[in-house]
Amino acid sequence: MNLPNKISFTRIFIVPIFMLFIIPLPEWMLQSSIFGFMSEQMAAYNNFIINYGRYIAAVIFIIASCTDGIDGHIARKRNLVTKLGKFLDPIADKLLSTAALIALIQLGDVWGWAAMIIIGRELLVTGLRLVAAGEGIVIAASKLGKIKQVSQVIAISAALLKNFPLSLITSFSFDKFAMFIAVIFTIISGYDYIAKNLHVLKSEN
């Protein structure tokens, strides 16, 4: 397995680690007699996750997001592009953001409709790229797509951090504002991809 594919696998492996820090154990597990022998340990774990977990998760998310695209860049630069890499790279790119959005919905920190638009757009564009790939067409990332990605990372990071450190000086809900902006760029970039590549769906060959 080459270096780009190892990086992609690492980014995918990070997702369950991220989830361990962001989501506390469910109440039914804490109260279940099945896990009674370790109830104190689980309570301590939950206390740690509730107080500090999301900040650790935020660090994991930000670091992983900053490495987004490195595997693909190395593969192209070193001529290490493989079918496995083409399969793993888009999964690694989207999986962490999707996991973060779902976790934040469960915690009540992100609007469900915002997550639906963001995840739906990613599925739509990924499907379009798969169809294009079948026609031998490569749909490159656009400037709008990159702006969309940056806006999503900022919004999700702000939600994970509960607006820290801005929360120390203002009560302004920056995370909500940033998520709204991210949704706008998500819609615009999604429309841009479809409008510019609609011919792929109309092709009969």
Side-chain angles (χ1 to χ4, degrees), residues 90-91 94 119-135 137 139 190 193-194 197 200-201:
I91 292 177
K94 312 303 179 188
I119 296 172
R121 181 267 185 202
E122 301 304 339
L123 292 174
L124 190 63
V125 172
T126 299
L128 181 61
R129 280 180 165 153
L130 288 173
V131 173
E135 298 291 331
I137 301 171
I139 299 178
Y193 271 110
I194 294 172
N197 299 283
V200 173
L201 299 177

Side-chain angles (χ1 to χ4, degrees), residues 32-52:
S32 174
S33 59
I34 298 176
F35 303 102
F37 67 97
M38 53 186 301
S39 59
E40 291 185 7
Q41 291 82 354
M42 290 194 300
Y45 169 81
N46 254 24
N47 185 60
F48 175 81
I49 294 301
I50 291 171
N51 288 296
Y52 307 106

Side-chain angles (χ1 to χ4, degrees), residues 56-158:
I56 298 173
V59 172
I60 293 173
F61 177 82
I62 293 169
I63 292 175
S65 297
C66 289
T67 64
D68 182 20
I70 288 180
D71 41 6
H73 175 73
I74 293 175
R76 291 187 294 272
K77 187 175 182 180
R78 299 185 182 182
N79 196 27
L80 296 173
V81 177
T82 63
K83 290 183 178 179
L84 178 61
K86 290 179 180 179
F87 171 74
L88 290 175
D89 187 48
I91 292 177
D93 286 346
K94 312 303 179 188
L95 193 57
L96 183 61
S97 292
T98 300
L101 287 168
I102 292 173
L104 287 167
I105 289 174
Q106 181 172 336
L107 295 172
D109 293 324
V110 165
W111 307 307
W113 63 264
M116 182 195 70
I117 291 173
I118 292 173
I119 296 172
R121 181 267 185 202
E122 301 304 339
L123 292 174
L124 190 63
V125 172
T126 299
L128 181 61
R129 280 180 165 153
L130 288 173
V131 173
E135 298 291 331
I137 301 171
V138 176
I139 299 178
S142 67
K143 289 183 179 180
L144 278 173
K146 293 177 181 178
I147 293 172
K148 176 272 306 179
Q149 182 63 22
V150 171
S151 68
Q152 288 181 8
V153 169
I154 292 173
I156 293 172
S157 298

